[in-house]
Amino acid sequence: MKLYALFLILLCQINWSFAQDKMYFKMSNLTGKFRNNEIYWCILGYDKNNNLVFVNRNGNLVQANINMNTIPKNGRMAANICYTLEEQNFIYMPDIVSGRMYISYGEQVYITFNVAADGRIGYAGPDLNNPTDPNQDVLFEFLEFTIINKEYWGNTSRVDFFSFPLVTTLTGSNGYTNGKYYETFSRTVGDLGTRDQMFSAYRAEVPNEFKTLLTDKRIMAPCKLTFNEGAQYGNYFDNYINEFWTKYTNEDLVFSCDAGTFRGRVSGDSMKFTCDGSSETYTVYKPTTQDVLEGKGNFNRGNSRELVIEAQLCAAFNRGVATQPQNFNNEAAYYKSSVANFYSGFFHNHAIDRYAYGFCYDDVFDHSTLLHFSNPTGLDIELKW
């Protein structure tokens, strides 16, 4: 027995040495409800040649092709690329760009590989706005990430919905994040409470408009349900936008961020901005409620400086501080006004250290679940219920 134990120790050391150039993903089943053979995962992304790939159970990149669509669900064929925790709960990760990891309970997520217009292989992922999508009745979450030369950038997200709680911890050593060196690094982000606790708290805490985002399986993001164009609350931000537009017709909006100090004034259906130290003029157009909630349309156009301005304004509207530029970077003032994205505010209130990705520009002033380290050891993923 002693010799066998020594052999196992040496084998682990050999495997660890072999994987020094890679970080690990480790998934832990803390659901108390689902067995390991009932929890599924799959990882998709792009390799260095921009080919669509998936990561197999051994941590290898496998190029996608449509012949992998062998699993039927609701009249659609899905790719056979998912594994259970019983099959594998720990993998060393290869470099991958624009990666997405889907985790589901009870059955796999259904992904279909297809041929894009340019002839390259693409994929159709879950689309909960499509009533015929085969994932409508699947409980799933996802992580987004990129790994290049082992360096990791990634996050969990509430931008689309909440199904069940996740907690992720990134660890590492002798590396950097935000320009600061760490001999040892560890940061944890994620949801606080059980799924039932989150649903109950949401019902009790958010304004009535946002209660309409509850379904039996998920809490949906505003524009994914009743705040979309033409829906019940499709004009939710309109009065606030008009108030903002009127205020800055008569005075300058002045705010500062990493890109500089910007000064803007409304002119018709647009705002003209300058940046201190530059003679250039930047134009931002009046948004809609959907532009605010999803960072699209008039909040996703123009050159790089205009996109920076739009991201700042989008974040300020969602946080309810658009007419209070002194509070753009004051978390204590967020979600206190009568009009704000209270869906996002809820997930900040129920997250570790109040970090959440409640809308697309929640990383403005660093309030999102983004994790980054240049020399990570691994990412531990706690799966809860």
Side-chain angles (χ1 to χ4, degrees):
M1 288 296 295
K2 290 182 179 179
L3 287 175
Y4 181 66
L6 179 60
F7 170 75
L8 289 178
I9 292 171
L10 290 173
L11 183 60
C12 290
Q13 290 175 341
I14 291 170
N15 287 340
W16 170 242
S17 177
F18 178 76
Q20 283 292 313
D21 62 338
K22 294 182 179 181
M23 66 176 292
Y24 68 76
F25 278 11
K26 183 178 185 297
M27 294 155 277
S28 298
N29 179 1
L30 304 180
T31 66
K33 178 180 176 67
F34 297 93
R35 298 186 300 272
N36 281 355
N37 63 3
E38 297 176 303
I39 298 178
Y40 296 78
W41 63 268
C42 68
I43 299 174
L44 296 155
Y46 295 87
D47 65 15
K48 62 182 180 181
N49 297 316
N50 200 32
N51 294 311
L52 179 65
V53 293
F54 75 93
V55 179
N56 69 13
R57 60 184 292 181
N58 297 317
N60 298 317
L61 295 180
V62 180
Q63 195 160 329
N65 71 76
I66 60 174
N67 294 325
M68 295 173 178
N69 296 329
T70 60
I71 298 176
K73 173 76 183 287
N74 292 0
R76 194 173 100 184
M77 300 301 290
N80 185 14
I81 59 172
C82 294
Y83 305 93
T84 67
L85 260 60
E86 186 173 76
E87 292 175 292
Q88 196 75 21
N89 69 350
F90 182 103
I91 53 173
Y92 285 109
M93 285 295 298
D95 282 5
I96 190 168
V97 175
S98 298
R100 181 168 282 207
M101 180 181 201
Y102 288 99
I103 299 168
S104 59
Y105 295 168
E107 64 180 301
Q108 71 168 67
V109 166
Y110 297 92
I111 307 288
T112 299
F113 293 144
N114 53 41
V115 180
D118 61 1
R120 300 177 67 85
I121 299 296
Y123 75 96
D127 179 4
L128 298 179
N129 282 333
N130 177 3
T132 67
D133 188 280
N135 297 287
Q136 284 288 347
D137 59 351
V138 180
L139 283 167
F140 69 94
E141 289 286 349
F142 63 86
L143 291 74
E144 302 169 303
F145 55 89
T146 287
I147 304 170
I148 299 177
N149 295 328
K150 192 186 175 184
E151 188 167 2
Y152 177 88
W153 298 261
N155 59 269
T156 54
S157 176
R158 299 285 162 244
V159 169
D160 295 318
F161 58 82
F162 167 83
S163 286
F164 51 80
L166 289 175
V167 173
T168 59
T169 300
L170 183 67
T171 57
S173 61
N174 300 315
Y176 292 85
T177 187
N178 294 326
K180 185 176 180 181
Y181 175 79
Y182 291 84
E183 286 189 9
T184 59
F185 175 84
S186 179
R187 186 183 171 204
T188 301
V189 294
D191 306 299
L192 292 171
T194 67
R195 183 175 188 270
D196 284 346
Q197 288 168 344
M198 295 283 279
F199 270 71
S200 295
Y202 188 87
R203 289 187 188 94
E205 295 174 16
V206 302
N208 287 333
E209 298 95 325
F210 288 84
K211 287 181 171 65
T212 62
L213 300 173
L214 282 161
T215 73
D216 60 337
K217 289 190 175 295
R218 303 174 181 89
I219 305 173
M220 299 299 294
C223 275
K224 301 300 186 283
L225 205 59
T226 53
F227 289 69
N228 209 350
E229 186 176 1
Q232 183 178 4
Y233 298 109
N235 299 320
Y236 176 80
F237 272 104
D238 288 10
N239 288 339
Y240 191 21
I241 293 166
N242 290 333
E243 176 190 341
F244 174 93
W245 225 247
T246 298
K247 177 179 175 67
Y248 294 111
T249 297
N250 302 305
E251 63 182 274
D252 285 346
L253 169 65
V254 182
F255 68 87
S256 297
C257 61
D258 289 345
T261 297
F262 293 90
R263 302 173 189 274
R265 179 74 72 101
V266 167
S267 175
D269 65 349
S270 65
M271 291 188 76
K272 306 297 183 183
F273 283 88
T274 59
C275 182
D276 287 5
S278 171
S279 60
E280 291 189 53
T281 300
Y282 311 101
T283 302
V284 173
Y285 293 89
K286 190 175 184 179
T288 66
T289 288
Q290 290 71 42
D291 294 346
V292 166
L293 287 167
E294 297 214 313
K296 64 182 183 180
N298 284 342
F299 273 173
N300 186 34
R301 62 184 292 177
N303 61 36
S304 59
R305 278 285 178 90
E306 288 164 343
L307 290 171
V308 167
I309 297 168
E310 290 157 11
Q312 294 288 322
L313 296 182
C314 181
F317 271 108
N318 275 279
R319 294 164 178 167
V321 294
T323 57
Q324 307 165 41
Q326 72 277 13
N327 286 325
F328 278 17
N329 192 19
N330 177 16
E331 185 188 10
Y334 297 169
Y335 308 107
K336 298 294 194 298
S337 65
S338 59
V339 179
N341 182 351
F342 293 106
Y343 165 91
S344 173
F346 172 82
F347 287 105
H348 283 278
N349 289 336
H350 293 268
I352 295 170
D353 296 328
R354 294 182 55 81
Y355 286 98
Y357 231 128
F359 61 93
C360 58
Y361 288 125
D362 226 350
D363 53 348
V364 166
F365 295 121
D366 191 26
H367 295 289
S368 74
T369 52
L370 179 65
L371 295 174
H372 166 254
F373 197 62
S374 64
N375 188 35
T377 302
L379 184 76
D380 288 276
I381 305 165
E382 297 180 6
L383 308 177
K384 299 188 174 186
W385 182 253

